[in-house]
Amino acid sequence: MDYGMLLLGVVLLVVVVGLGSSATERRLSRRLERMERKLDAIVAQLGVTVEEPGLAEVTALLREGKKIQAIKTYREHTGADLKEARDAVERLA
């Protein structure tokens, strides 16, 4: 049995499966972004305010000048990634 060909086949399989899952993740991410935009539009149209979890704590940290801690707290409460949290905290500041 040619183990080199077997190893090459396994590597190709892993790459193909990996590419497929990242494409799926990108597709799901784009779909989620579209849904979030639609929900934001509905909330704005209805005039409803949606309180982010932990926002009071984040605001208090900003008042104390603890921007990094505020970003960390925002991430902990919302599950946002670093960029999303930084952007949100900067909007609050």
Side-chain angles (χ1 to χ4, degrees):
M1 179 173 219
D2 186 5
Y3 290 108
M5 290 302 288
L6 179 63
L7 180 60
L8 179 61
V10 169
V11 169
L12 285 173
L13 179 62
V14 168
V15 168
V16 167
V17 168
L19 288 175
S21 66
S22 65
T24 301
E25 288 175 14
R26 284 192 304 270
R27 189 170 48 253
L28 289 173
S29 178
R30 285 191 307 267
R31 185 173 184 194
L32 180 59
E33 288 171 7
R34 285 192 312 268
M35 291 172 64
E36 287 177 342
R37 281 194 305 270
K38 290 175 183 177
L39 286 173
D40 289 342
I42 291 169
V43 166
Q45 182 68 29
L46 294 174
V48 177
T49 57
V50 178
E51 188 72 25
E52 294 283 341
L55 192 58
E57 185 179 353
V58 171
T59 305
L61 289 166
L62 281 173
R63 275 192 235 115
E64 296 171 13
K66 299 178 180 178
K67 186 175 181 180
I68 293 174
Q69 186 62 36
I71 292 170
K72 182 179 178 185
T73 301
Y74 186 89
R75 290 185 71 193
E76 290 171 354
H77 286 287
T78 64
D81 66 24
L82 181 58
K83 182 181 181 331
E84 292 170 336
R86 187 188 72 223
D87 292 346
V89 169
E90 286 179 357
R91 282 191 304 270
L92 291 172

